[in-house]
Amino acid sequence: MADFASTVSNIYSQALGVIEAVEPRIAAATRAELTDQRGSLKLIASENYASLPVLMTMGTWLSDKYAEGTVGHRFYAGCQNVDTVESVAAEHARELFGAEYAYVQPHSGIDANLVAYWSILSHRIESPTLERLGAKTVNDLSEEDWDALRAEFNSQRVMGMSLDAGGHLTHGFRHNISGKMFKQHSYGTNPETGLIDYTKLLADAREFKPLILVAGYSAYPRRVNFAKMREIADAVGATLFVDMAHFAGLVAGKVFTGEENPVPYADVVATTTHKSLRGPRGGMVLATAEYGPSVDRGCPMVLGGPLSHVMAAKAVALAEARQPSFATYAQAVADNAKTLAEGLLKRGVNLVTGGTDNHLVLMDVSSFGLTGRQAESALLDAGVVTNRNSVPNDANGAWYTSGVRIGTPALTSRGFGAAEFDKVAELITDVLKATTPSITAAGTPGKAKYAIADGVAERTKAAAAELLDANPLYPGLEL
Ligand code: DSN
Protein backbone atom coordinates (compact mmCIF):
# COMPACT_ATOMS: atom_id res chain seq x y z
CA MET A 1 0.00 0.00 0.00
CA ALA A 2 2.82 2.38 0.95
CA ASP A 3 4.50 1.57 -2.36
CA PHE A 4 1.27 2.28 -4.23
CA ALA A 5 0.87 5.62 -2.41
CA SER A 6 4.42 6.71 -3.13
CA THR A 7 4.18 5.66 -6.78
CA VAL A 8 0.94 7.60 -7.17
CA SER A 9 2.41 10.61 -5.34
CA ASN A 10 5.31 10.55 -7.73
CA ILE A 11 3.04 10.28 -10.79
CA TYR A 12 0.78 13.15 -9.72
CA SER A 13 3.70 15.37 -8.67
CA GLN A 14 5.33 14.90 -12.02
CA ALA A 15 2.06 15.34 -13.93
CA LEU A 16 1.30 18.58 -12.09
CA GLY A 17 4.84 19.75 -12.84
CA VAL A 18 4.22 19.13 -16.54
CA ILE A 19 0.91 21.03 -16.38
CA GLU A 20 2.55 23.83 -14.40
CA ALA A 21 5.04 24.41 -17.20
CA VAL A 22 2.15 25.14 -19.59
CA GLU A 23 -0.45 26.87 -17.39
CA PRO A 24 0.60 27.33 -13.75
CA ARG A 25 -2.81 28.62 -12.68
CA ILE A 26 -4.41 25.29 -13.55
CA ALA A 27 -1.76 23.31 -11.69
CA ALA A 28 -2.25 25.60 -8.67
CA ALA A 29 -6.06 25.27 -8.77
CA THR A 30 -5.76 21.47 -9.02
CA ARG A 31 -3.45 21.34 -5.97
CA ALA A 32 -5.70 23.78 -4.09
CA GLU A 33 -8.78 21.65 -4.82
CA LEU A 34 -7.14 18.65 -3.16
CA THR A 35 -6.27 20.77 -0.13
CA ASP A 36 -9.84 22.10 0.06
CA GLN A 37 -11.42 18.66 -0.34
CA ARG A 38 -9.09 17.23 2.29
CA GLY A 39 -9.79 20.05 4.72
CA SER A 40 -13.58 20.34 4.70
CA LEU A 41 -16.53 18.22 5.77
CA LYS A 42 -18.01 17.37 2.38
CA LEU A 43 -21.70 16.73 2.98
CA ILE A 44 -23.08 17.48 -0.47
CA ALA A 45 -25.35 14.49 -1.02
CA SER A 46 -24.49 14.21 -4.72
CA GLU A 47 -20.70 14.28 -4.34
CA ASN A 48 -18.17 11.62 -3.51
CA TYR A 49 -14.45 10.84 -3.86
CA ALA A 50 -13.62 8.57 -6.80
CA SER A 51 -10.79 6.11 -6.24
CA LEU A 52 -7.31 6.90 -7.57
CA PRO A 53 -7.59 4.13 -10.23
CA VAL A 54 -10.82 5.78 -11.46
CA LEU A 55 -9.24 9.25 -11.51
CA MET A 56 -6.11 8.02 -13.25
CA THR A 57 -8.10 6.19 -15.93
CA MET A 58 -9.53 9.54 -17.07
CA GLY A 59 -6.15 11.11 -17.79
CA THR A 60 -5.21 9.26 -20.98
CA TRP A 61 -5.18 9.51 -24.74
CA LEU A 62 -8.49 7.63 -24.95
CA SER A 63 -9.76 11.21 -24.67
CA ASP A 64 -8.45 11.93 -28.18
CA LYS A 65 -10.56 9.40 -30.09
CA TYR A 66 -13.84 10.19 -31.76
CA ALA A 67 -16.25 7.24 -31.68
CA GLU A 68 -19.75 8.41 -32.54
CA GLY A 69 -22.10 5.48 -32.99
CA THR A 70 -22.20 2.28 -30.97
CA VAL A 71 -19.94 -0.71 -30.48
CA GLY A 72 -19.15 -2.18 -33.89
CA HIS A 73 -21.16 0.55 -35.73
CA ARG A 74 -19.09 3.73 -35.58
CA PHE A 75 -19.06 6.78 -37.82
CA TYR A 76 -15.22 6.86 -37.54
CA ALA A 77 -12.50 4.39 -38.40
CA GLY A 78 -10.08 2.96 -35.86
CA CYS A 79 -12.49 2.55 -32.93
CA GLN A 80 -11.46 -0.99 -31.96
CA ASN A 81 -10.05 0.04 -28.57
CA VAL A 82 -13.01 2.27 -27.76
CA ASP A 83 -15.23 -0.70 -28.66
CA THR A 84 -13.38 -2.75 -26.04
CA VAL A 85 -13.72 0.04 -23.46
CA GLU A 86 -17.43 0.56 -24.08
CA SER A 87 -18.18 -3.19 -24.14
CA VAL A 88 -16.38 -3.81 -20.86
CA ALA A 89 -18.16 -0.90 -19.14
CA ALA A 90 -21.57 -2.03 -20.44
CA GLU A 91 -20.88 -5.64 -19.40
CA HIS A 92 -20.02 -4.55 -15.84
CA ALA A 93 -23.16 -2.37 -15.72
CA ARG A 94 -25.43 -5.20 -16.88
CA GLU A 95 -23.91 -7.67 -14.43
CA LEU A 96 -23.86 -5.28 -11.48
CA PHE A 97 -27.47 -4.15 -11.85
CA GLY A 98 -28.95 -7.28 -13.43
CA ALA A 99 -30.07 -5.20 -16.42
CA GLU A 100 -30.86 -6.55 -19.87
CA TYR A 101 -29.23 -3.60 -21.59
CA ALA A 102 -26.70 -0.89 -20.61
CA TYR A 103 -25.62 2.25 -22.47
CA VAL A 104 -22.57 3.95 -20.95
CA GLN A 105 -22.07 6.91 -23.30
CA PRO A 106 -24.04 9.75 -21.64
CA HIS A 107 -21.76 12.55 -20.46
CA SER A 108 -23.88 13.51 -17.47
CA GLY A 109 -27.11 12.72 -15.65
CA ILE A 110 -29.06 15.23 -17.69
CA ASP A 111 -27.73 13.68 -20.91
CA ALA A 112 -28.72 10.25 -19.63
CA ASN A 113 -32.24 11.49 -18.89
CA LEU A 114 -32.49 13.05 -22.35
CA VAL A 115 -31.41 9.78 -23.95
CA ALA A 116 -34.06 8.03 -21.85
CA TYR A 117 -36.81 10.45 -22.90
CA TRP A 118 -35.93 10.32 -26.59
CA SER A 119 -35.59 6.57 -26.60
CA ILE A 120 -39.02 6.21 -25.00
CA LEU A 121 -40.50 8.67 -27.51
CA SER A 122 -38.82 6.84 -30.39
CA HIS A 123 -40.06 3.49 -29.19
CA ARG A 124 -43.61 4.57 -28.41
CA ILE A 125 -44.28 7.38 -30.88
CA GLU A 126 -41.81 7.38 -33.75
CA SER A 127 -41.84 3.67 -34.59
CA PRO A 128 -45.65 3.22 -34.67
CA THR A 129 -46.00 6.49 -36.62
CA LEU A 130 -43.46 5.42 -39.22
CA GLU A 131 -45.25 2.12 -39.58
CA ARG A 132 -48.59 3.87 -40.00
CA LEU A 133 -47.11 6.14 -42.66
CA GLY A 134 -45.46 3.23 -44.44
CA ALA A 135 -41.98 4.74 -43.90
CA LYS A 136 -38.95 2.72 -42.86
CA THR A 137 -36.96 5.55 -41.31
CA VAL A 138 -37.48 9.26 -40.67
CA ASN A 139 -35.51 9.90 -43.87
CA ASP A 140 -38.50 8.59 -45.87
CA LEU A 141 -40.93 11.18 -44.45
CA SER A 142 -42.42 14.02 -46.50
CA GLU A 143 -42.58 17.55 -45.04
CA GLU A 144 -46.25 17.00 -44.05
CA ASP A 145 -45.40 13.70 -42.38
CA TRP A 146 -42.62 15.44 -40.47
CA ASP A 147 -45.06 18.03 -39.19
CA ALA A 148 -47.40 15.28 -38.05
CA LEU A 149 -44.57 13.45 -36.28
CA ARG A 150 -43.33 16.64 -34.58
CA ALA A 151 -46.86 17.38 -33.38
CA GLU A 152 -47.14 13.88 -31.93
CA PHE A 153 -43.78 14.21 -30.14
CA ASN A 154 -44.72 17.56 -28.67
CA SER A 155 -48.08 16.54 -27.34
CA GLN A 156 -46.82 13.81 -25.02
CA ARG A 157 -47.25 13.89 -21.26
CA VAL A 158 -44.76 13.26 -18.50
CA MET A 159 -45.45 13.01 -14.80
CA GLY A 160 -42.58 13.32 -12.29
CA MET A 161 -41.93 14.46 -8.74
CA SER A 162 -42.00 18.21 -8.21
CA LEU A 163 -38.76 20.03 -7.52
CA ASP A 164 -39.75 21.17 -4.03
CA ALA A 165 -40.84 17.65 -3.05
CA GLY A 166 -37.40 16.37 -4.01
CA GLY A 167 -37.68 15.69 -7.76
CA HIS A 168 -35.08 16.84 -10.27
CA LEU A 169 -35.19 19.64 -12.84
CA THR A 170 -35.31 17.05 -15.61
CA HIS A 171 -38.47 15.44 -14.23
CA GLY A 172 -40.68 18.04 -15.94
CA PHE A 173 -39.69 21.33 -14.24
CA ARG A 174 -41.14 24.16 -16.32
CA HIS A 175 -37.79 25.94 -16.84
CA ASN A 176 -36.06 22.74 -17.96
CA ILE A 177 -36.26 21.26 -21.46
CA SER A 178 -38.25 18.35 -19.97
CA GLY A 179 -40.98 20.79 -18.96
CA LYS A 180 -40.98 22.32 -22.43
CA MET A 181 -40.83 19.23 -24.66
CA PHE A 182 -43.66 17.55 -22.73
CA LYS A 183 -46.96 18.55 -21.25
CA GLN A 184 -46.13 17.93 -17.62
CA HIS A 185 -47.79 17.32 -14.30
CA SER A 186 -45.88 17.05 -11.02
CA TYR A 187 -46.69 14.89 -8.05
CA GLY A 188 -45.74 16.05 -4.58
CA THR A 189 -45.69 14.41 -1.19
CA ASN A 190 -48.25 14.09 1.59
CA PRO A 191 -48.28 17.42 3.49
CA GLU A 192 -48.50 15.64 6.87
CA THR A 193 -45.88 12.93 6.42
CA GLY A 194 -43.72 14.31 3.61
CA LEU A 195 -43.94 10.86 1.97
CA ILE A 196 -45.06 9.89 -1.52
CA ASP A 197 -48.79 9.15 -1.45
CA TYR A 198 -49.17 6.27 -3.92
CA THR A 199 -52.99 6.31 -3.77
CA LYS A 200 -53.12 9.96 -4.75
CA LEU A 201 -50.42 9.41 -7.34
CA LEU A 202 -52.54 6.70 -8.98
CA ALA A 203 -55.60 8.96 -8.98
CA ASP A 204 -53.57 11.84 -10.49
CA ALA A 205 -52.08 9.52 -13.11
CA ARG A 206 -55.52 8.24 -14.09
CA GLU A 207 -56.60 11.81 -14.66
CA PHE A 208 -53.44 13.10 -16.39
CA LYS A 209 -52.67 9.91 -18.37
CA PRO A 210 -48.89 10.34 -18.79
CA LEU A 211 -46.97 8.56 -21.52
CA ILE A 212 -44.02 8.51 -19.12
CA LEU A 213 -44.15 8.15 -15.34
CA VAL A 214 -40.87 9.31 -13.78
CA ALA A 215 -39.79 7.94 -10.41
CA GLY A 216 -36.63 8.94 -8.56
CA TYR A 217 -35.40 12.04 -6.77
CA SER A 218 -32.56 14.37 -5.84
CA ALA A 219 -33.71 15.49 -2.40
CA TYR A 220 -36.29 13.00 -1.08
CA PRO A 221 -34.84 11.33 2.02
CA ARG A 222 -36.82 8.11 1.71
CA ARG A 223 -36.97 4.94 -0.38
CA VAL A 224 -39.44 4.49 -3.22
CA ASN A 225 -41.56 1.39 -3.77
CA PHE A 226 -40.97 0.68 -7.45
CA ALA A 227 -43.46 -2.21 -7.55
CA LYS A 228 -46.16 0.34 -6.71
CA MET A 229 -44.77 2.73 -9.33
CA ARG A 230 -44.96 -0.10 -11.88
CA GLU A 231 -48.58 -0.79 -10.97
CA ILE A 232 -49.43 2.89 -11.42
CA ALA A 233 -47.62 3.05 -14.77
CA ASP A 234 -49.41 -0.10 -15.96
CA ALA A 235 -52.80 1.20 -14.83
CA VAL A 236 -52.47 4.16 -17.21
CA GLY A 237 -50.34 2.60 -19.97
CA ALA A 238 -47.27 4.69 -19.11
CA THR A 239 -43.64 3.77 -19.58
CA LEU A 240 -41.92 3.66 -16.18
CA PHE A 241 -38.69 5.65 -16.23
CA VAL A 242 -36.57 5.74 -13.05
CA ASP A 243 -33.84 8.29 -12.43
CA MET A 244 -31.65 6.59 -9.81
CA ALA A 245 -28.78 9.09 -10.07
CA HIS A 246 -28.73 9.68 -6.33
CA PHE A 247 -29.15 6.15 -5.06
CA ALA A 248 -27.44 4.01 -7.74
CA GLY A 249 -24.72 3.13 -5.21
CA LEU A 250 -27.33 1.81 -2.80
CA VAL A 251 -28.82 -0.34 -5.58
CA ALA A 252 -25.36 -1.53 -6.65
CA GLY A 253 -24.45 -2.32 -3.03
CA LYS A 254 -27.71 -4.29 -2.53
CA VAL A 255 -29.02 -1.98 0.18
CA PHE A 256 -32.08 -1.36 -1.98
CA THR A 257 -33.41 -4.78 -2.93
CA GLY A 258 -36.82 -6.26 -3.79
CA GLU A 259 -39.41 -3.55 -4.41
CA GLU A 260 -36.83 -0.83 -3.62
CA ASN A 261 -34.63 -1.88 -6.55
CA PRO A 262 -35.90 -0.09 -9.67
CA VAL A 263 -34.18 -2.26 -12.27
CA PRO A 264 -36.61 -5.22 -12.33
CA TYR A 265 -39.62 -2.87 -12.44
CA ALA A 266 -38.68 -0.02 -14.78
CA ASP A 267 -38.58 0.02 -18.56
CA VAL A 268 -35.70 2.48 -18.56
CA VAL A 269 -33.39 3.52 -15.71
CA ALA A 270 -30.94 6.42 -15.94
CA THR A 271 -28.20 7.32 -13.50
CA THR A 272 -25.11 9.35 -12.95
CA THR A 273 -21.94 7.44 -12.22
CA HIS A 274 -20.30 9.84 -9.78
CA LYS A 275 -22.68 10.19 -6.83
CA SER A 276 -23.23 7.26 -4.46
CA LEU A 277 -21.87 4.97 -7.22
CA ARG A 278 -18.45 6.67 -6.70
CA GLY A 279 -17.26 6.62 -10.30
CA PRO A 280 -16.19 9.35 -12.73
CA ARG A 281 -18.56 12.20 -13.54
CA GLY A 282 -20.92 10.87 -16.18
CA GLY A 283 -24.20 9.15 -16.95
CA MET A 284 -25.54 5.78 -17.95
CA VAL A 285 -28.85 4.25 -19.09
CA LEU A 286 -30.12 0.76 -18.33
CA ALA A 287 -33.08 -0.68 -20.20
CA THR A 288 -35.12 -3.74 -20.90
CA ALA A 289 -34.39 -5.65 -24.10
CA GLU A 290 -37.52 -3.97 -25.55
CA TYR A 291 -36.21 -0.42 -25.04
CA GLY A 292 -32.49 -1.21 -25.55
CA PRO A 293 -32.41 -0.67 -29.34
CA SER A 294 -33.87 2.85 -29.03
CA VAL A 295 -31.52 3.70 -26.14
CA ASP A 296 -28.67 2.65 -28.43
CA ARG A 297 -29.53 5.59 -30.69
CA GLY A 298 -28.53 8.08 -27.97
CA CYS A 299 -25.64 9.07 -30.21
CA PRO A 300 -26.33 10.63 -32.70
CA MET A 301 -29.95 11.28 -31.58
CA VAL A 302 -29.06 13.35 -28.51
CA LEU A 303 -25.34 12.98 -27.78
CA GLY A 304 -22.11 13.87 -29.52
CA GLY A 305 -19.02 11.69 -29.50
CA PRO A 306 -18.65 9.59 -26.35
CA LEU A 307 -15.91 10.50 -23.88
CA SER A 308 -13.90 7.30 -24.24
CA HIS A 309 -11.59 8.09 -21.32
CA VAL A 310 -14.64 8.56 -19.06
CA MET A 311 -16.27 5.35 -20.32
CA ALA A 312 -13.00 3.63 -19.38
CA ALA A 313 -13.18 5.13 -15.90
CA LYS A 314 -16.83 4.01 -15.64
CA ALA A 315 -15.66 0.45 -16.39
CA VAL A 316 -13.07 0.68 -13.58
CA ALA A 317 -15.59 2.14 -11.12
CA LEU A 318 -18.20 -0.49 -12.01
CA ALA A 319 -15.59 -3.22 -11.51
CA GLU A 320 -14.93 -1.72 -8.06
CA ALA A 321 -18.66 -1.64 -7.32
CA ARG A 322 -18.86 -5.39 -8.04
CA GLN A 323 -16.44 -6.10 -5.17
CA PRO A 324 -17.91 -7.19 -1.79
CA SER A 325 -16.27 -4.13 -0.16
CA PHE A 326 -18.63 -1.88 -2.13
CA ALA A 327 -21.68 -3.52 -0.54
CA THR A 328 -20.12 -2.84 2.88
CA TYR A 329 -19.57 0.77 1.85
CA ALA A 330 -23.16 1.19 0.58
CA GLN A 331 -24.61 -0.22 3.80
CA ALA A 332 -22.41 2.16 5.80
CA VAL A 333 -23.69 5.11 3.70
CA ALA A 334 -27.28 4.28 4.71
CA ASP A 335 -26.40 3.49 8.35
CA ASN A 336 -24.43 6.73 8.65
CA ALA A 337 -27.32 8.77 7.22
CA LYS A 338 -29.56 7.33 9.97
CA THR A 339 -27.00 8.24 12.63
CA LEU A 340 -26.66 11.74 11.20
CA ALA A 341 -30.45 12.20 11.13
CA GLU A 342 -30.85 10.90 14.69
CA GLY A 343 -28.01 13.14 15.88
CA LEU A 344 -29.71 16.19 14.38
CA LEU A 345 -33.19 15.29 15.62
CA LYS A 346 -32.06 14.76 19.21
CA ARG A 347 -30.40 18.20 19.12
CA GLY A 348 -33.58 19.89 17.91
CA VAL A 349 -33.12 20.17 14.13
CA ASN A 350 -36.31 19.63 12.06
CA LEU A 351 -35.97 17.13 9.22
CA VAL A 352 -38.28 16.75 6.25
CA THR A 353 -40.15 13.41 6.70
CA GLY A 354 -38.71 13.20 10.22
CA GLY A 355 -35.60 11.27 9.19
CA THR A 356 -34.07 9.26 6.39
CA ASP A 357 -33.74 5.76 5.07
CA ASN A 358 -31.42 6.48 2.17
CA HIS A 359 -28.17 8.46 1.89
CA LEU A 360 -29.51 11.98 2.42
CA VAL A 361 -31.06 14.18 5.05
CA LEU A 362 -33.07 17.34 4.35
CA MET A 363 -32.92 19.85 7.21
CA ASP A 364 -35.64 22.48 7.50
CA VAL A 365 -33.72 25.40 9.04
CA SER A 366 -36.67 27.79 9.31
CA SER A 367 -37.07 27.03 13.03
CA PHE A 368 -33.66 28.72 13.53
CA GLY A 369 -35.02 31.82 11.78
CA LEU A 370 -32.67 31.18 8.86
CA THR A 371 -33.07 30.68 5.13
CA GLY A 372 -31.31 27.77 3.48
CA ARG A 373 -28.93 30.22 1.92
CA GLN A 374 -27.89 31.71 5.28
CA ALA A 375 -27.47 28.27 6.83
CA GLU A 376 -25.45 27.01 3.83
CA SER A 377 -23.15 30.06 4.00
CA ALA A 378 -22.68 29.91 7.78
CA LEU A 379 -21.86 26.20 7.60
CA LEU A 380 -19.37 26.87 4.82
CA ASP A 381 -17.68 29.52 7.01
CA ALA A 382 -17.28 26.75 9.56
CA GLY A 383 -15.77 24.31 7.03
CA VAL A 384 -18.94 22.28 6.43
CA VAL A 385 -19.85 22.06 2.73
CA THR A 386 -23.56 21.53 2.03
CA ASN A 387 -26.12 22.85 -0.41
CA ARG A 388 -29.34 24.70 0.20
CA ASN A 389 -32.47 23.06 -1.10
CA SER A 390 -36.19 23.73 -1.20
CA VAL A 391 -38.45 21.94 1.24
CA PRO A 392 -42.03 21.03 0.20
CA ASN A 393 -44.11 24.19 -0.39
CA ASP A 394 -41.08 26.32 0.48
CA ALA A 395 -42.03 29.83 1.64
CA ASN A 396 -38.58 31.12 0.63
CA GLY A 397 -38.68 29.89 -2.98
CA ALA A 398 -36.01 28.00 -4.89
CA TRP A 399 -33.22 30.61 -4.53
CA TYR A 400 -33.12 31.32 -0.80
CA THR A 401 -34.97 28.15 0.27
CA SER A 402 -35.73 26.94 3.80
CA GLY A 403 -33.76 23.73 3.59
CA VAL A 404 -30.22 22.39 3.55
CA ARG A 405 -29.55 19.00 1.98
CA ILE A 406 -26.76 16.85 3.37
CA GLY A 407 -25.58 13.35 2.54
CA THR A 408 -23.17 10.69 3.70
CA PRO A 409 -21.58 9.13 0.54
CA ALA A 410 -18.39 11.24 0.52
CA LEU A 411 -17.44 11.16 4.20
CA THR A 412 -18.29 7.46 4.37
CA SER A 413 -15.72 6.95 1.60
CA ARG A 414 -13.19 8.60 3.94
CA GLY A 415 -14.02 6.09 6.66
CA PHE A 416 -16.43 8.10 8.83
CA GLY A 417 -18.69 5.88 10.94
CA ALA A 418 -21.36 6.36 13.61
CA ALA A 419 -19.20 8.25 16.14
CA GLU A 420 -17.94 10.68 13.50
CA PHE A 421 -21.41 11.34 12.06
CA ASP A 422 -22.87 11.98 15.49
CA LYS A 423 -20.10 14.55 16.00
CA VAL A 424 -20.90 16.04 12.58
CA ALA A 425 -24.55 16.40 13.71
CA GLU A 426 -23.34 18.20 16.84
CA LEU A 427 -21.14 20.58 14.82
CA ILE A 428 -23.94 21.40 12.37
CA THR A 429 -26.39 22.08 15.18
CA ASP A 430 -23.88 24.31 17.00
CA VAL A 431 -23.42 26.44 13.88
CA LEU A 432 -27.16 26.71 13.18
CA LYS A 433 -27.86 27.72 16.79
CA ALA A 434 -25.08 30.31 16.68
CA THR A 435 -26.24 31.94 13.42
CA THR A 436 -28.68 34.84 13.22
CA PRO A 437 -30.08 36.58 10.17
CA SER A 438 -29.02 40.21 9.62
CA ILE A 439 -31.79 42.76 10.00
CA THR A 440 -32.68 44.77 6.90
CA ALA A 441 -33.24 48.55 6.73
CA ALA A 442 -36.97 47.79 6.99
CA GLY A 443 -36.32 46.12 10.36
CA THR A 444 -37.13 42.59 9.18
CA PRO A 445 -34.78 39.59 8.99
CA GLY A 446 -32.93 39.47 5.65
CA LYS A 447 -32.66 36.32 3.54
CA ALA A 448 -28.98 36.38 2.60
CA LYS A 449 -26.80 38.07 5.23
CA TYR A 450 -26.18 36.61 8.67
CA ALA A 451 -23.82 36.66 11.63
CA ILE A 452 -22.24 33.77 13.54
CA ALA A 453 -21.53 34.14 17.24
CA ASP A 454 -17.84 34.78 17.94
CA GLY A 455 -15.56 31.77 17.91
CA VAL A 456 -18.13 29.19 16.74
CA ALA A 457 -16.88 28.90 13.15
CA GLU A 458 -13.27 28.57 14.35
CA ARG A 459 -14.15 25.96 16.99
CA THR A 460 -16.15 23.99 14.42
CA LYS A 461 -13.29 24.06 11.94
CA ALA A 462 -10.87 22.80 14.57
CA ALA A 463 -13.20 19.96 15.60
CA ALA A 464 -13.81 19.07 11.92
CA ALA A 465 -10.05 19.03 11.29
CA GLU A 466 -9.62 16.39 14.00
CA LEU A 467 -12.20 14.15 12.32
CA LEU A 468 -10.72 14.75 8.88
CA ASP A 469 -7.12 14.17 9.94
CA ALA A 470 -8.12 10.86 11.50
CA ASN A 471 -9.78 9.81 8.20
CA PRO A 472 -7.45 11.09 5.49
CA LEU A 473 -8.46 11.48 1.86
CA TYR A 474 -6.13 9.53 -0.48
CA PRO A 475 -3.84 8.54 2.40
CA GLY A 476 -0.18 8.70 1.50
CA LEU A 477 -0.71 10.92 -1.53
CA GLU A 478 1.84 13.72 -1.11
CA LEU A 479 2.19 16.43 -3.72
N1 DSN B 1 -26.54 18.26 -9.17
C1 DSN B 1 -27.26 17.09 -8.78
C2 DSN B 1 -27.58 17.09 -7.34
O1 DSN B 1 -26.89 17.78 -6.61
O2 DSN B 1 -28.49 16.41 -6.91
C3 DSN B 1 -28.47 16.89 -9.58
O3 DSN B 1 -28.39 17.54 -10.80
PDB file of all heavy atoms in Angstrom, residues 46 168 218 246 275 405, ligand 1:
ATOM      1  N   SER A  46     -24.728  14.721  -3.363  1.00  0.00           N
ATOM      2  CA  SER A  46     -24.493  14.213  -4.717  1.00  0.00           C
ATOM      3  C   SER A  46     -23.008  14.092  -5.044  1.00  0.00           C
ATOM      4  O   SER A  46     -22.658  13.795  -6.182  1.00  0.00           O
ATOM      5  CB  SER A  46     -25.170  15.142  -5.720  1.00  0.00           C
ATOM      6  OG  SER A  46     -24.845  16.488  -5.433  1.00  0.00           O
ATOM      7  N   HIS A 168     -36.181  16.131  -9.599  1.00  0.00           N
ATOM      8  CA  HIS A 168     -35.083  16.837 -10.269  1.00  0.00           C
ATOM      9  C   HIS A 168     -35.622  17.733 -11.373  1.00  0.00           C
ATOM     10  O   HIS A 168     -36.733  17.517 -11.873  1.00  0.00           O
ATOM     11  CB  HIS A 168     -34.108  15.800 -10.854  1.00  0.00           C
ATOM     12  CG  HIS A 168     -32.855  16.404 -11.396  1.00  0.00           C
ATOM     13  ND1 HIS A 168     -32.580  16.463 -12.737  1.00  0.00           N
ATOM     14  CD2 HIS A 168     -31.826  17.001 -10.761  1.00  0.00           C
ATOM     15  CE1 HIS A 168     -31.400  17.062 -12.910  1.00  0.00           C
ATOM     16  NE2 HIS A 168     -30.927  17.393 -11.723  1.00  0.00           N
ATOM     17  N   SER A 218     -33.862  13.799  -6.202  1.00  0.00           N
ATOM     18  CA  SER A 218     -32.558  14.372  -5.837  1.00  0.00           C
ATOM     19  C   SER A 218     -32.519  14.801  -4.384  1.00  0.00           C
ATOM     20  O   SER A 218     -31.459  15.078  -3.842  1.00  0.00           O
ATOM     21  CB  SER A 218     -32.264  15.604  -6.683  1.00  0.00           C
ATOM     22  OG  SER A 218     -32.027  15.238  -8.003  1.00  0.00           O
ATOM     23  N   HIS A 246     -29.180   9.504  -7.717  1.00  0.00           N
ATOM     24  CA  HIS A 246     -28.727   9.680  -6.330  1.00  0.00           C
ATOM     25  C   HIS A 246     -28.439   8.361  -5.628  1.00  0.00           C
ATOM     26  O   HIS A 246     -27.498   8.267  -4.852  1.00  0.00           O
ATOM     27  CB  HIS A 246     -29.759  10.498  -5.539  1.00  0.00           C
ATOM     28  CG  HIS A 246     -29.344  11.921  -5.443  1.00  0.00           C
ATOM     29  ND1 HIS A 246     -28.700  12.420  -4.349  1.00  0.00           N
ATOM     30  CD2 HIS A 246     -29.421  12.927  -6.333  1.00  0.00           C
ATOM     31  CE1 HIS A 246     -28.404  13.690  -4.551  1.00  0.00           C
ATOM     32  NE2 HIS A 246     -28.838  14.027  -5.753  1.00  0.00           N
ATOM     33  N   LYS A 275     -22.126   9.863  -8.152  1.00  0.00           N
ATOM     34  CA  LYS A 275     -22.682  10.192  -6.834  1.00  0.00           C
ATOM     35  C   LYS A 275     -22.418   9.012  -5.889  1.00  0.00           C
ATOM     36  O   LYS A 275     -21.269   8.698  -5.645  1.00  0.00           O
ATOM     37  CB  LYS A 275     -24.166  10.534  -6.964  1.00  0.00           C
ATOM     38  CG  LYS A 275     -24.417  11.799  -7.809  1.00  0.00           C
ATOM     39  CD  LYS A 275     -25.870  12.193  -7.796  1.00  0.00           C
ATOM     40  CE  LYS A 275     -26.101  13.531  -8.467  1.00  0.00           C
ATOM     41  NZ  LYS A 275     -26.486  13.406  -9.882  1.00  0.00           N
ATOM     42  N   ARG A 405     -29.637  20.436   2.244  1.00  0.00           N
ATOM     43  CA  ARG A 405     -29.549  18.997   1.978  1.00  0.00           C
ATOM     44  C   ARG A 405     -28.143  18.515   2.334  1.00  0.00           C
ATOM     45  O   ARG A 405     -27.157  19.160   1.969  1.00  0.00           O
ATOM     46  CB  ARG A 405     -29.820  18.772   0.486  1.00  0.00           C
ATOM     47  CG  ARG A 405     -29.918  17.331   0.073  1.00  0.00           C
ATOM     48  CD  ARG A 405     -30.026  17.192  -1.440  1.00  0.00           C
ATOM     49  NE  ARG A 405     -28.791  17.628  -2.097  1.00  0.00           N
ATOM     50  CZ  ARG A 405     -28.489  17.377  -3.371  1.00  0.00           C
ATOM     51  NH1 ARG A 405     -29.333  16.721  -4.141  1.00  0.00           N
ATOM     52  NH2 ARG A 405     -27.352  17.801  -3.896  1.00  0.00           N
TER      53      ARG A 405
HETATM   54  N1  DSN B   1     -26.536  18.260  -9.167  1.00  0.00           N
HETATM   55  C1  DSN B   1     -27.256  17.088  -8.776  1.00  0.00           C
HETATM   56  C2  DSN B   1     -27.578  17.094  -7.341  1.00  0.00           C
HETATM   57  O1  DSN B   1     -26.891  17.781  -6.612  1.00  0.00           O
HETATM   58  O2  DSN B   1     -28.487  16.413  -6.912  1.00  0.00           O
HETATM   59  C3  DSN B   1     -28.467  16.893  -9.582  1.00  0.00           C
HETATM   60  O3  DSN B   1     -28.390  17.537 -10.802  1.00  0.00           O
END
